[in-house]
Amino acid sequence: MPGPFSSRRGVALYALVCLSLGVALAAVIVMAADAHWGNALLFALPLTLVYAVAAGFSAFYLCRAYPLSGRPPLAIAAVMSAAALVAGLLWQALAQFWNGLSLLTELRWAGIALTPALSALLFGLGVLLYALALALHYLALEFMRATAAEQGEMQSQLAAQEAQLRMLRTQIDPHFLFNSLNSISALTSANPAGAREMTVQLASFYRRSLGMEAHKKVPLGEEMQLIRHFVAIEQVRFGARLQVEEALDEAAAACLVPPMLIQPLVENAVKHGVCKMTEGGTIRIAARRAGSILRISVLNPVDADLPAARPGGIGLDNVRQRLAGAYGHEASIHWARRGASFGVDIAMPAQTSED
């Protein structure tokens, strides 16, 4: 049912207000017509309840038919004024009918002396109550319209955010594939068996990677399995020069992260760190949960004799944008070169469910 009758709570509240108005009207009748309380209540309560229900439905549909933003203000004012006057006249006529019906019972406690002054008072009250119902329904409809618009805007923002995150996510795949194909090409003549093994590992990597496409977030433990596939691909090329150490606690492994969030950091560590060092090096990946915060770090050695590379890059910038899109100001990423090592530190909300 529309308006105030759309829920049980609304019906109960509306009935309570109507009963209160009926009691107030009975008090006015007692004072104005010198009637007994029983007569005044028997006259006022049914009359007020019937009028309140009829006025509630009428005002609701009238407000929907004449929205504030869809009709000229003067036309709305004219229609609403005419409706209020008609409602006042109908209530006055209903009051006379109900009072006359009560007087026919010839019971001492039924009926009141309905004077012209009291009839005029009922007419005025009917007009005012209908105008009040119109105002309340306009407020309710505008609130509902504003809420719907806000929800629509929020859904649009979420859709745009999801599209941006999907675009950033897909940016990683061709970047990684390009580097992997270059590696396979380099191995084709020097180490054909290694090139074949790398191709198989690459297929396994993409099979697992594509399985993550349906998820907005995956457990960090699952992300680490993907990284191990990536490391296996690179170890075909680097052999013992590339080593990886992991330090993940169980609480951190269960936390959710955007898919392919850590892999670009490890790829950067290989490309800009281990790859440029003759003796190779060890990449250290650590993650721990500290209350509501998940902290992840990736540390790799760099050649201290080489000049520092420009800050950022495709991988780091992609991770930064994805964190900002998924968590806003709740997540952060910092990277810095410290002597013969380069470290990336991520702090983000520790979530175990996508809700």
Side-chain angles (χ1 to χ4, degrees), residues 208-224:
R208 180 173 290 275
S209 173
L210 292 174
M212 293 181 174
E213 288 288 343
H215 304 282
K216 295 181 181 179
K217 295 185 177 70
V218 297
L220 180 59
E222 187 173 338
E223 172 81 357
M224 289 305 302

Side-chain angles (χ1 to χ4, degrees), residues 37-340:
W37 268 103
N39 298 64
L41 288 172
L42 183 63
F43 173 80
L45 288 179
L47 183 68
T48 304
L49 287 174
V50 171
Y51 182 73
V53 173
F57 275 99
S58 172
F60 176 79
Y61 286 112
L62 196 60
C63 290
R64 290 192 61 180
Y66 290 86
L68 293 177
S69 59
R71 300 294 182 92
L74 290 178
I76 294 176
V79 170
M80 299 306 167
S81 299
L85 291 174
V86 171
L89 289 172
L90 290 176
W91 195 32
Q92 184 185 36
L94 180 63
Q96 292 176 347
F97 171 77
W98 175 243
N99 191 55
L101 191 64
S102 300
L103 290 173
L104 289 177
T105 61
E106 297 183 355
L107 296 175
R108 181 177 60 83
W109 44 266
I112 62 171
L114 192 58
T115 63
L118 188 56
S119 296
L121 178 63
L122 288 173
F123 170 74
L125 287 175
V127 173
L128 289 176
L129 289 176
Y130 195 83
L132 179 62
L134 289 172
L136 291 176
H137 279 89
Y138 268 130
L139 286 175
L141 289 173
E142 289 302 315
F143 176 77
M144 292 167 57
R145 189 176 293 110
T147 302
E150 183 178 355
Q151 291 177 347
E153 182 180 358
M154 186 177 299
Q155 290 176 353
S156 298
Q157 291 177 351
L158 289 174
Q161 182 187 70
E162 185 176 346
Q164 181 187 22
L165 291 174
R166 190 180 300 112
M167 181 272 293
L168 291 169
R169 164 67 179 84
T170 55
Q171 184 186 54
I172 290 294
D173 290 335
H175 180 65
F176 166 67
L177 181 60
F178 175 78
N179 292 337
S180 298
L181 291 177
N182 274 344
S183 299
I184 293 174
S185 176
L187 288 173
T188 301
S189 57
N191 185 1
R196 286 194 297 271
E197 182 181 350
M198 196 171 186
T199 304
V200 172
Q201 292 285 359
L202 182 62
S204 299
F205 175 88
Y206 268 98
R207 188 180 301 112
R208 180 173 290 275
S209 173
L210 292 174
M212 293 181 174
E213 288 288 343
H215 304 282
K216 295 181 181 179
K217 295 185 177 70
V218 297
L220 180 59
E222 187 173 338
E223 172 81 357
M224 289 305 302
Q225 292 180 9
L226 188 69
I227 291 173
R228 294 181 193 112
H229 274 288
F230 167 75
V231 171
I233 293 172
E234 295 296 333
Q235 282 179 333
V236 174
R237 180 158 60 117
F238 293 102
R241 291 175 56 207
L242 173 60
Q243 300 295 324
V244 175
E245 291 182 358
E246 299 179 13
L248 280 76
D249 59 37
E250 293 184 5
C255 292
L256 298 179
V257 298
M260 298 282 286
L261 183 75
I262 314 301
Q263 185 273 335
L265 304 181
V266 179
E267 183 179 357
N268 272 359
V270 174
K271 180 179 179 182
H272 301 291
V274 175
C275 180
K276 298 183 181 298
M277 302 180 69
T278 305
E279 71 281 8
T282 300
I283 300 172
R284 293 175 173 84
I285 306 171
R288 63 184 179 87
R289 178 173 182 173
S292 61
I293 302 297
L294 174 64
R295 299 189 180 277
I296 303 171
S297 65
V298 178
L299 185 70
N300 64 272
V302 293
D303 191 339
D305 296 330
L306 293 177
R310 69 177 182 86
I314 294 177
L316 289 172
D317 190 57
N318 184 284
V319 172
R320 179 185 59 78
Q321 291 185 57
R322 292 175 68 196
L323 285 172
Y327 303 103
H329 297 295
E330 296 183 75
S332 64
I333 178 172
H334 302 282
W335 56 83
R337 177 171 173 173
R338 295 180 284 269

